[in-house]
Amino acid sequence: RKEVEQDPGPFNVPEGATVAFNCTYSNSASQSFFWYRQDCRKEPKLLMSVYSSGNEDGRFTAQLNRASQYISLLIRDSKLSDSATYLCVVNPSTGGFKTIFGAGTRLFVKA
Amino acid sequence: GAVVSQHPSWVICKSGTSVKIECRSLDFQATTMFWYRQFPKQSLMLMATSNEGSKATYEQGVEKDKFLINHASLTLSTLTVTSAHPEDSSFYICSAPVGGDTQYFGPGTRLTVL
């Protein structure tokens, strides 16, 4: 089993749609969780951190379920510019930065 | 915000040559940097952890004699791909942690070995 697994893609959605991505992780002791966005041939960029209480940033909402060991990302009112690969990232250790990346889920938002 | 740069952004070389990639933290010091490799349509795979003042820590399956890492200063880490072969063609990305457990990534270096 992979340490971090994501929904297989690609997701093809129309503009304005709501889309949700899930991600599961295997190490129950994992400490930090993130969603990154990666555009084609570019480096990943931090989209948002994920906290136990959940967090929201505009159209994006991230949630963490420690009991079930999964995190989610919800994108509302999708824009064409949201088309990218979304990477689920888990930091398995306390005080360290050795992160584990999921394989990514590709999102295509179409007009 | 914190910025990490990489140089070169892309390189094409002949099989058997060595290629050096630089990763710099531009406005902060980084005692630790990470080197990743990403093949097409795959996620980033951590290759090694670069430690300023000590030897790099390599992930399982990564040849330390092939991928030489030198963390020369608090703002510079270099990755040298020695005797590159076509299978080494990939997107190499470095990152540096900035406060807490957030990482900032360099723009990546696309290596093509002919």
Side-chain angles (χ1 to χ4, degrees):
Chain A
R1 181 186 175 187
K2 294 181 180 178
E3 291 185 79
V4 177
E5 294 196 72
Q6 294 187 236
D7 282 350
F11 283 58
N12 295 286
V13 302
E15 270 189 296
T18 296
V19 61
F21 303 139
N22 288 327
C23 168
T24 59
Y25 58 95
S26 61
N27 185 347
S28 60
S30 296
Q31 297 295 318
S32 308
F33 310 88
F34 309 89
W35 283 102
Y36 278 75
R37 169 194 170 128
Q38 185 176 27
D39 293 292
C40 188
R41 295 176 175 264
K42 300 286 187 180
E43 75 277 21
K45 293 188 177 178
L46 179 66
L47 182 64
M48 58 198 312
S49 302
V50 189
Y51 306 115
S52 296
S53 56
N55 52 312
E56 185 174 316
D57 183 3
R59 298 181 293 109
F60 299 84
T61 301
Q63 291 189 316
L64 166 65
N65 185 319
R66 284 190 181 272
S68 300
Q69 294 179 211
Y70 80 81
I71 68 175
S72 63
L73 177 67
L74 183 75
I75 305 175
R76 291 180 297 278
D77 189 22
S78 300
K79 310 293 185 187
L80 294 176
S81 57
D82 293 334
S83 297
T85 297
Y86 290 83
L87 304 173
C88 172
V89 179
V90 175
N91 185 340
S93 60
T94 302
F97 304 103
K98 185 175 174 179
T99 51
I100 309 296
F101 284 79
T105 301
R106 297 190 73 185
L107 171 65
F108 294 101
V109 181
K110 300 186 177 182
Chain B
V3 177
V4 175
S5 70
Q6 276 185 246
H7 177 81
S9 56
W10 59 270
V11 58
I12 301 173
C13 69
K14 293 182 178 180
S15 185
T17 60
S18 293
V19 176
K20 179 186 283 189
I21 303 170
E22 293 184 349
C23 177
R24 293 181 185 273
S25 56
L26 297 186
D27 53 2
F28 65 100
Q29 293 181 333
T31 56
T32 301
M33 291 184 177
F34 300 96
W35 286 97
Y36 295 86
R37 178 168 54 182
Q38 185 176 34
F39 292 107
K41 297 187 178 181
Q42 295 185 28
S43 190
L44 281 73
M45 295 298 295
L46 180 65
M47 298 176 66
T49 302
S50 174
N51 304 297
E52 190 271 335
S54 63
K55 292 182 179 180
T57 305
Y58 290 82
E59 295 302 300
Q60 189 174 9
V62 178
E63 299 175 57
K64 63 179 181 180
D65 294 331
K66 181 171 181 62
F67 298 99
L68 302 179
I69 291 173
N70 182 23
H71 201 131
S73 73
L74 288 171
T75 59
L76 173 64
S77 174
T78 60
L79 168 68
T80 301
V81 183
T82 62
S83 187
H85 291 284
E87 58 266 29
D88 298 323
S89 298
S90 187
F91 191 44
Y92 291 86
I93 307 176
C94 69
S95 75
V98 179
D101 48 15
T102 301
Q103 289 190 55
Y104 284 88
F105 288 84
T109 297
R110 192 161 299 279
L111 170 64
T112 300
V113 184
L114 302 176

